[in-house]
Amino acid sequence: MSELLDRHRAVLPNWMALYYEHPLELISGSGSRVTDAAGRTYLDFFCGILTNMLGYDVPEVREAIERQLATGVVHTSTLYLIRSQVELAEKLARLSGIQNAKVFFTNSGTEANETALMLATAARGSNQVLAMRNSYHGRSFGAVAITGNAGWKSSPLAPFGVHYLHGTDRELPAFARLTDAEYIAACTADLRHLLAAGAARQVACLIAEPVQGVGGFTMPPDGLFGEYKKVLDEHGILVISDEVQTGWGRTGDHFWGIGAHGITPDMITFAKGLGNGFAIGGVIARGDLMDGLPGNGISTFGGNPLSTTAANATLDYLLDHDLQRNAATLGSMIIGGLREAAAPLAAVGGVRGKGLMFAVDLVDPQTGAPSPALAARAIEEARERGLLIGKGGLYGHALRMAPPMNLTEADAKEGMGILVDALRAVDAEAAP
């Protein structure tokens, strides 16, 4: 493994991080488990950053891909009709709730968000964008420009004028003692004031993650974006829901994360889990917005026969097996269990989540300050016990977990038990 690591470091950028003191090479997987090059098997609660939504080696998905491969047609391009692309677009348009919806396929969430921003700025004739503090929308020039997390902003240059809104910063002194209703009212008043005093008169859109992914699975109170939309509608400002991590019922209560706020957005962006490992992303938008671009456009690889075949099979499996309900049931069990177990642990600052999307904050036991060092220690402790998890947050102190949506109850309990053991070990090490 050290030889492969040396080769990796020689030819790949140093800003492309690897997890763990001794990085893993994963070579096989089945169900909710993966096996590394040394032959050790792990329960996977991060799934390629939420991308292997059904885990590994699902027969229905694998067989659909094999049938497409057997035709010899892996790629054509959007210059030709692609049956699996049309079929998938029909399903997504129906599931979106957006009236007269149309779909454009890309290869990633970054591309999807770039496309949505292009649609919004073209429709509104403006490059002014509203985004959320602590947000993340991708690694491209435009997506980095609207990202509200300084640790992921690689360039100070920007094609947009961006104004960042409140929504996931309840810990600030101005908001710490407010109820949900009071916090929503304060954030909405701030939006009104911003539009009156600080933003250009013609703002294109608000883009927001219903649950912030890289931000550590932080989220606003349910209903905040509904109140925001009332204000935005007064100005004709479009709403883009970045569902790259929150889509497909992962949050349990709703198929799209934005559903918790009681609104239908003008556009939805998606990616990650839909292909269960195959690269796919896209935008679902009102037909007038999608058709409103004045120039030509294609996507060489977006919506190719292989990725859309995988996505159709993945989506069909998810719907046929009611995995949204599974996410709600098992997520509630895990989050409740983690909160109970973490209550006496001084190194745990909090547990939050929705469905199979949950996080644990690690803090200095004496000061309560965010502790990225303890978070790094926790993922090592979890790995040693056979569980793979992620991390993130504005300060790098949040453990992020998003198990496969077809997770079994037995695997859920096993993973929760391992995580609790790891947290207790970290807490004991950190005790003064």
Side-chain angles (χ1 to χ4, degrees):
M1 181 58 65
S2 61
E3 184 254 349
L4 183 59
L5 178 58
D6 290 342
R7 291 165 58 192
H8 176 282
R9 287 174 173 163
V11 296
L12 295 169
N14 59 10
W15 44 259
M16 200 171 78
L18 290 167
Y19 272 179
Y20 306 115
E21 183 179 351
H22 302 289
L24 290 172
E25 180 192 6
L26 303 177
I27 62 172
S28 65
S30 178
S32 299
R33 298 175 193 271
V34 290
T35 301
D36 68 13
R40 181 165 187 195
T41 296
Y42 303 86
L43 187 59
D44 189 357
F45 267 30
F46 204 37
C47 295
I49 318 178
L50 292 85
T51 298
N52 297 300
M53 183 164 67
L54 306 181
Y56 302 87
D57 197 28
V58 177
E60 290 87 339
V61 178
R62 171 170 40 81
E63 290 164 7
I65 294 164
E66 289 171 346
R67 287 193 297 271
Q68 182 59 42
L69 285 171
T71 69
V73 178
V74 173
H75 173 73
T76 57
S77 89
T78 52
L79 295 173
Y80 301 96
L81 289 170
I82 302 172
R83 185 172 298 275
S84 57
Q85 183 187 76
V86 173
E87 292 171 349
L88 182 59
E90 290 171 338
K91 295 172 188 175
L92 296 178
R94 184 178 69 253
L95 290 165
S96 72
I98 296 172
Q99 286 197 342
N100 304 313
K102 289 192 172 185
V103 184
F104 180 77
F105 291 103
T106 66
N107 303 289
S108 68
T110 294
E111 281 188 56
N113 286 329
E114 286 278 0
T115 302
L117 290 166
M118 180 171 63
L119 295 175
T121 54
R124 294 281 291 161
S126 168
N127 73 338
Q128 301 298 300
V129 173
L130 303 175
M132 305 298 294
R133 298 183 183 194
N134 196 35
S135 60
Y136 176 81
H137 297 286
R139 59 167 183 77
S140 63
F141 185 58
V144 163
I146 61 167
T147 286
N149 184 320
W152 291 87
K153 293 179 79 71
S154 301
S155 172
L157 307 177
F160 303 108
V162 187
H163 303 270
Y164 294 104
L165 306 185
H166 298 290
T168 61
D169 48 10
R170 296 284 291 275
E171 76 285 355
L172 295 179
F175 306 129
R177 293 179 176 83
L178 300 184
T179 65
D180 283 356
E182 290 169 341
Y183 179 65
I184 290 172
C187 292
T188 305
D190 181 75
L191 171 60
R192 285 191 180 278
H193 187 265
L194 172 66
L195 293 175
R201 295 192 180 278
Q202 184 83 348
V203 174
C205 62
L206 164 66
I207 183 168
E209 306 156 275
V211 179
Q212 294 177 331
V214 168
F217 292 171
T218 48
M219 67 197 82
D222 290 354
L224 174 69
F225 292 129
E227 293 304 306
Y228 275 1
K229 191 172 189 302
K230 292 176 184 177
V231 178
L232 300 177
D233 284 348
E234 295 171 9
H235 298 265
I237 299 169
L238 302 171
V239 174
I240 302 168
S241 185
D242 179 343
E243 302 272 357
V244 169
Q245 297 196 27
T246 52
W248 326 119
R250 177 165 286 282
T251 62
D253 292 338
H254 302 89
F255 191 77
W256 304 107
I258 198 67
H261 300 269
I263 61 171
T264 300
D266 300 289
M267 298 183 231
I268 291 170
T269 60
F270 61 87
K272 287 194 181 287
L274 181 60
N276 204 49
F278 279 80
I280 192 167
V283 182
I284 313 168
R286 289 183 354 223
D288 62 306
L289 295 173
M290 190 69 81
D291 290 339
L293 291 183
N296 295 325
I298 62 169
S299 180
T300 300
F301 290 106
N304 69 74
L306 196 58
S307 66
T308 50
T309 293
N312 272 305
T314 299
L315 185 57
D316 289 347
Y317 185 99
L318 179 137
L319 295 172
D320 291 344
H321 292 80
D322 195 8
L323 296 188
Q324 179 179 331
R325 180 185 295 272
N326 194 55
T329 301
L330 295 185
S332 178
M333 180 191 78
I334 294 172
I335 294 167
L338 287 175
R339 284 177 174 155
E340 181 179 356
L345 304 181
V348 175
V351 176
R352 64 182 165 275
K354 284 187 174 186
L356 288 176
M357 192 175 191
F358 45 93
V360 178
D361 287 339
L362 275 295
V363 299
D364 184 295
Q366 293 182 290
T367 66
S371 179
L374 290 183
R377 185 71 225 134
I379 71 165
E380 295 284 358
E381 293 285 349
R383 175 196 170 172
E384 289 177 15
R385 291 162 172 77
L387 178 69
L388 303 184
I389 60 177
K391 61 187 179 70
L394 184 61
Y395 306 106
H397 70 302
L399 306 179
R400 294 196 288 157
M401 288 142 287
M405 288 184 61
N406 54 345
L407 185 73
T408 66
E409 183 177 350
D411 285 348
K413 289 179 177 178
E414 179 184 348
M416 180 173 64
I418 293 172
L419 182 60
V420 168
D421 285 347
L423 291 172
R424 286 172 177 161
V426 170
D427 186 71
E429 290 176 16

